[in-house]
Amino acid sequence: MDPQPFHDHDHHQCSDAVMSQAEASLAASGARLTPVRRRVLEILLEAHRAMGAYDVLQRLAAEGYGNQPPVAYRALDFLVEHGLAHRIQRLNAFAACMHPGEAHAPAFLICRVCDTVAEAPAAPVRAALDGAAADLGFTVERASIEALGLCPACREPS
Amino acid sequence: MDPQPFHDHDHHQCSDAVMSQAEASLAASGARLTPVRRRVLEILLEAHRAMGAYDVLQRLAAEGYGNQPPVAYRALDFLVEHGLAHRIQRLNAFAACMHPGEAHAPAFLICRVCDTVAEAPAAPVRAALDGAAADLGFTVERASIEALGLCPACREPS
DNA sequence: CTTGACGCGTTATGATATTACATACATAGA
DNA sequence: TCTATGTATGTAATATCATAACGCGTCAAG
């Protein structure tokens, strides 16, 4: 079963699973998961949320790491480059990838009430986009697909 | 024929058409196209590009309008609210809407070489996205769909 | 002719992100 | 082991993007 933010799940297990996948994925590519990078990923994994770079930085600083923006941005950029995190343009923020290692071009579903961010399988969306672009002669290389709305939990009056 | 950035077109006519549509659209809603707002729209229309708020501001300032950020942001926000311009999240920038008045939820195609921004019809894309979201119980309210890639002109070695 | 809504101008500040350079650390080769 | 090399981290300074808060001018309704 996939990590799935919108429903009850054992979050500890969910995070651990992602961390393991992340480690495996990195080992395969020869990149190093240094303490700062690992810690940043853990911080992102604490919630199914997007966090701003400065929020992450504050956490790092409190734990004795550097307290200047590049410390956070470098780790975040590393995670994004290696597919362990995503940048959410709409929020100027970052979220842990819930499916590291798998090739995927996700769409992000952002709940405007609880700020939860989920990844939806976007292959069909991407196909539609590629088609629309092709009609205009445009070749899509990278796409950001981000939706703002209501997650199941916030939709129903609990 | 639609305004279509990626192909040769009479740009003067293209801009004029959009301005007329914009005026009509605003008149219908009772909102006012003041000099600053009009000028900002004209500036955005000069190129099929996204411009940063500060770029617009510089232009305004050079023409004797205010030279502080809120002057630009207010006009830009107004245009966006009234469907005359779009914010391109990926670029932290704004582009004139090429189909004002028409209800549309566009996808943006951004050429990474010439920076041209075009709007593609996104109804099928949006449908696919709604579907993927619905599978997770998520209700999409607003979506940003932005693609980075190569426009037809930049794709072919001229 | 007042009043109230709106648009514009300005100051100040906040939030996000990068450049540039210095220091430390790991590791492979001599 | 020693040292050279690349990579990671730390820090200062600055660039870029965005908003809050306030005051003034204009214009139309009452």
Side-chain angles (χ1 to χ4, degrees):
Chain A
M1 160 95 194
D2 265 2
Q4 178 41 263
F6 288 152
H7 298 96
D8 288 344
H9 62 291
D10 179 338
H11 185 64
H12 183 73
Q13 177 193 320
C14 153
S15 310
D16 283 1
V18 172
M19 279 298 307
S20 306
Q21 288 175 265
E23 281 165 6
S25 166
L26 278 189
S29 76
R32 292 166 45 200
L33 190 60
T34 62
V36 188
R37 292 168 181 173
R38 164 181 288 272
R39 195 67 197 106
V40 169
L41 183 52
E42 287 168 356
I43 289 169
L44 290 182
L45 277 170
E46 282 175 16
H48 289 292
R49 298 252 169 73
M51 296 186 68
Y54 280 72
D55 297 331
V56 170
L57 179 57
Q58 214 172 334
R59 295 286 307 271
L60 289 178
E63 299 176 16
Y65 296 99
N67 66 0
Q68 300 299 318
V71 173
Y73 281 104
R74 281 196 289 238
L76 289 166
D77 290 347
F78 171 90
L79 295 174
V80 169
E81 266 169 32
H82 290 79
L84 306 182
H86 299 288
R87 175 171 225 140
I88 311 296
Q89 308 276 354
R90 189 151 193 131
L91 304 177
N92 292 323
F94 301 82
C97 176
M98 292 295 119
H99 310 87
E102 306 170 31
H104 66 306
F108 298 101
L109 307 179
I110 307 162
C111 178
R112 66 170 160 76
V113 172
C114 67
D115 287 327
T116 295
V117 173
E119 299 175 38
V125 184
R126 179 58 193 260
L129 177 58
D130 287 353
D135 291 347
L136 301 180
F138 188 95
T139 309
V140 177
E141 291 170 348
R142 285 137 44 75
S144 1
I145 300 165
E146 301 176 358
L148 203 63
L150 281 182
C151 76
C154 295
R155 188 183 188 179
E156 324 232 335
S158 63
Chain B
M1 160 90 196
D2 266 2
Q4 178 39 262
F6 288 153
H7 299 96
D8 288 344
H9 62 291
D10 180 337
H11 186 66
H12 183 72
Q13 177 192 322
C14 153
S15 310
D16 283 1
V18 172
M19 279 299 305
S20 306
Q21 290 174 261
E23 280 164 7
S25 167
L26 278 190
S29 76
R32 292 167 47 201
L33 191 61
T34 62
V36 186
R37 292 169 180 173
R38 163 180 289 273
R39 196 66 196 107
V40 169
L41 183 52
E42 287 168 356
I43 289 170
L44 290 182
L45 277 170
E46 282 175 13
H48 290 292
R49 299 252 169 76
M51 295 185 71
Y54 280 69
D55 297 330
V56 171
L57 178 59
Q58 214 173 333
R59 296 286 306 274
L60 289 178
E63 298 176 17
Y65 296 99
N67 67 359
Q68 299 302 317
V71 173
Y73 280 103
R74 281 195 289 238
L76 289 166
D77 289 347
F78 170 90
L79 295 174
V80 169
E81 265 169 34
H82 290 79
L84 306 181
H86 298 289
R87 176 172 221 137
I88 311 296
Q89 308 277 353
R90 190 156 192 127
L91 303 176
N92 292 324
F94 301 81
C97 175
M98 291 296 119
H99 310 85
E102 307 170 30
H104 66 307
F108 298 102
L109 308 178
I110 308 162
C111 178
R112 66 170 162 77
V113 172
C114 66
D115 287 325
T116 294
V117 173
E119 298 175 38
V125 184
R126 180 58 194 260
L129 177 57
D130 287 354
D135 290 347
L136 301 181
F138 188 94
T139 309
V140 176
E141 291 170 349
R142 285 139 42 76
S144 5
I145 300 165
E146 301 175 357
L148 202 65
L150 280 182
C151 77
C154 294
R155 186 182 188 181
E156 324 233 333
S158 64

